[in-house]
Amino acid sequence: MRIAIAHNTNDKTLKVVAHLKTLLQKKDGVVFDAKYPDVVITVGGDGTLINAFHRYENQVSSIRFIGIHTGHLGFYTDWRGQDVGKMTDALFLREPESAKYPLLEIELVTEAGEKKRFLALNESAVKRVSHTLEADVYIDDQLFENFRGDGLCISTPTGSTGYNKSLGGAVIHPQLKALQMAEIASINNRVFRTLSSPIVIAPDQWITIVPNADHFVMTVDGKRIDVRNAKKINYRISNKVIRFDRFGHTHFWSRVQSAFIGERNDKL
Ligand code: NAP
């Protein structure tokens, strides 16, 4: 098994990484391969896993991810730092099984017709930092609305608990193959009108944003890309998925509860 370990550099994480390496070295057939791994183990937070996803996004179809958190339970991290022994044992004791979650495909088309593709795990937003963003929004090539405001955010189900949630979007279970679009401070008055609520589109649908601006900012999982001379941006669910090792995978609504409400022990 070819394994890569990706981690942040805080002291707690570095201790967990050292322990993890020692445990893995004792297992037969383990090769540390940061270039072409079968399994990527991340140690840190959700941000660490997002960075690792982008590092290996071209190989995402052949990789399984395992997230170890060294802080709070994350949305992409299942294991606690103190449970790495249990995690390494589980990795070698059974047939691999994965939980698969949708990814967002972003196609940026320039005025010259050039196409640039990006893949997001959480979301992509189109924004203007100063001045209002004006854009036409199409669903399946049909004009849906003329948007005016700070921007628009398109998120995956796993990304729905990130930036999308802060924008008032719904939290969506990641087994649903659906994309959500949430508005960022839209202008609504007698002249300009948008739907003013988040929408969730079906798996085979796509959203096209045609910005009426020479330049704007597009983010992909929080990373800023300055865009000039874009004709349109197409958003759809990618054919690719991210795969997480299923063993030890935490129930989605338990994560949501733990992150946003707080642990409770009451049972029905
Ligand atoms: P960052 O500082 O790495 O992350 C900001 C916070 O969002 C961190 O606490 C991170 O958790 C958490 N996070 C990341 N993905 C999440 C998810 N799917 N569900 C719930 N929480 C999540 O910020 P960044 O590098 O600029 O962007 C990374 C992601 O963070 C973005 O894709 C965006 O979804 C989210 N973000 C949200 C807001 C907001 O809500 N206003 C603002 C900026 C970024 P960890 O501490 O475990 O890494």
Side-chain angles (χ1 to χ4, degrees):
M1 190 181 296
R2 289 165 302 172
I3 295 180
I5 301 174
H7 59 88
N8 65 26
T9 52
N10 78 38
D11 289 349
K12 194 172 170 194
T13 297
L14 294 178
K15 276 187 195 148
V16 173
V17 170
H19 183 42
L20 174 65
K21 280 188 179 160
T22 312
L23 292 171
L24 287 170
Q25 274 157 353
K26 291 182 189 152
K27 300 282 180 193
D28 286 339
V30 167
V31 177
F32 290 108
D33 185 344
K35 254 190 168 172
Y36 300 107
D38 305 307
V39 174
V40 173
I41 303 175
T42 70
V43 189
D46 285 330
T48 315
L49 192 127
I50 293 167
N51 290 340
F53 162 76
H54 285 293
R55 176 162 178 203
Y56 294 105
E57 66 177 71
N58 293 333
Q59 300 170 57
V60 78
S61 309
S62 60
I63 287 177
R64 260 181 311 138
F65 287 87
I66 298 176
I68 299 171
H69 59 91
T70 46
H72 54 91
L73 170 71
F75 282 86
Y76 298 114
T77 55
D78 287 297
W79 295 90
R80 295 182 307 169
Q82 57 263 49
D83 292 336
V84 286
K86 231 198 242 174
M87 188 226 89
T88 44
D89 287 345
L91 193 57
F92 293 92
L93 277 177
R94 67 208 156 80
E95 284 299 303
E97 250 192 86
S98 313
K100 297 178 196 159
Y101 297 139
L103 295 169
L104 170 66
E105 183 185 294
I106 305 148
E107 184 187 64
L108 175 73
V109 184
T110 66
E111 286 291 0
E114 196 191 337
K115 290 178 180 167
K116 292 179 189 162
R117 287 205 168 80
F118 306 87
L119 207 55
L121 177 56
N122 270 349
E123 81 286 294
S124 170
V126 174
K127 295 183 192 178
R128 285 202 79 187
V129 180
S130 57
H131 298 295
T132 305
L133 175 79
E134 287 180 37
D136 291 334
V137 179
Y138 293 79
I139 299 177
D140 299 350
D141 293 338
Q142 282 204 16
L143 183 62
F144 179 67
E145 64 183 9
N146 305 113
F147 177 87
R148 272 182 169 75
D150 280 6
L152 290 157
C153 168
I154 319 289
S155 62
T156 63
T158 51
S160 69
T161 47
Y163 188 29
N164 167 76
K165 186 173 179 300
S166 304
L167 297 172
V171 172
I172 296 193
H173 194 286
Q175 268 164 13
L176 295 177
K177 248 183 134 187
L179 292 184
Q180 179 166 194
M181 180 176 77
E183 299 181 352
I184 312 170
S186 60
I187 300 174
N188 270 283
N189 53 35
R190 278 188 296 174
V191 183
F192 305 125
R193 179 119 330 137
T194 63
L195 182 67
S196 297
S197 45
I199 61 168
V200 177
I201 60 163
D204 58 346
Q205 297 194 301
W206 67 96
I207 293 172
T208 302
I209 297 177
V210 181
N212 181 16
D214 292 344
H215 63 276
F216 57 89
V217 168
M218 182 172 92
T219 64
V220 176
D221 292 339
K223 185 171 172 270
R224 173 184 175 144
I225 298 164
D226 286 285
V227 182
R228 287 190 181 271
N229 304 322
K231 191 172 163 196
K232 60 181 180 177
I233 309 167
N234 294 320
Y235 289 104
R236 64 179 78 230
I237 291 180
S238 171
N239 294 331
K240 296 177 181 169
V241 291
I242 183 165
R243 294 186 302 142
F244 288 92
D245 200 78
R246 197 183 274 284
F247 190 81
H249 204 50
T250 310
H251 185 261
F252 177 69
W253 296 115
S254 303
R255 284 177 208 275
V256 173
Q257 188 195 43
S258 151
F260 299 114
I261 301 168
E263 309 273 7
R264 290 178 61 121
N265 292 319
D266 311 356
K267 288 216 164 106
L268 276 181

